[in-house]
Amino acid sequence: MERNFKLTIEYDGSAFHGWQRQSSDPTIQGTIEAALGKMTRSSISLIGSGRTDAGVHATGQIANFHCDTALTPQTFIKGLNSLLPDDIVIKACLEVGDSFHARYDAKSKTYVYRICNASLPSAIGRQYSWHVRKKLDTEMMKAAIDYFVGTHDFKSFEGAGSPRSTTIRKIMAATLEAKDGATLLFTVKADGFLRFMVRNIVGTLVDVGGGRISPDDVPAILAARDRNLASATAPPHGLFLMKVEY
């Protein structure tokens, strides 16, 4: 009898070409599917809550797969973690109802972007934050963040090739927190995200913090629906998918 299993996955995306399987380059989805194939001796299709780009990390990615097996969730946790590389860890495995779909059932996702705002870079942890040398005005950044909260058309903050039927998204909450002196944490929760949307918002916030644009410019950038008006895309290695809620 076919059963449905839900995985909670943590990964360091540094060595991978994103979530989605590719024919030649290593990906998170492809690597886990290969391990599942070894355990079940069958071809498994893993459904993720959404794609993460090359170099992006996750502490709470959710995925599910259907399989005709007698293996228990605990066996999958132990077996997969013994087969997977050290930069992918299965944190939990649960058997769920047949109708559960990791992508279509998701109600919200939360991302965190880490910025190291210091004159000198950090040798330790440098692969998990964007180093910005110029001192940023966090109060101006927070003022800009307020304009992003709510339901908006985020076409100005969409990367090319975004798989979507609409560019309208609802940001439920967004905050900027200073931590440990030089670390800035931008946390954003929404009902969904366009490709590069968080990284494009972060790039714009950094330009606000650096005085290149005003917080009050954000509404006009949103209204224009023109990617050329928003700032450059922040690098992927500072971004983490933290939580998916159902």
Side-chain angles (χ1 to χ4, degrees), residues 171-183:
I171 290 185
M172 303 163 179
T175 60
L176 184 71
E177 175 188 6
K179 185 178 180 182
D180 300 330
T183 300

Side-chain angles (χ1 to χ4, degrees), residues 184-238:
L184 299 178
L185 301 179
F186 172 61
T187 303
V188 58
K189 175 181 178 180
D191 60 0
F193 293 91
L194 302 168
R195 189 181 188 201
F196 296 169
M197 178 174 154
V198 178
R199 291 164 57 194
N200 290 335
I201 290 174
V202 170
T204 301
L205 291 176
V206 166
D207 275 354
V208 169
R212 286 180 285 275
I213 61 176
S214 165
D216 295 333
D217 291 333
V218 171
I221 296 172
L222 283 165
R225 303 178 73 249
D226 183 351
R227 175 67 188 93
N228 294 318
L229 296 184
S231 300
T233 306
H237 59 274

Side-chain angles (χ1 to χ4, degrees), residues 19 38 120 138 168 185 243:
W19 167 267
K38 290 180 180 179
L120 295 175
T138 57
I168 295 174
L185 301 179
K243 182 189 296 185

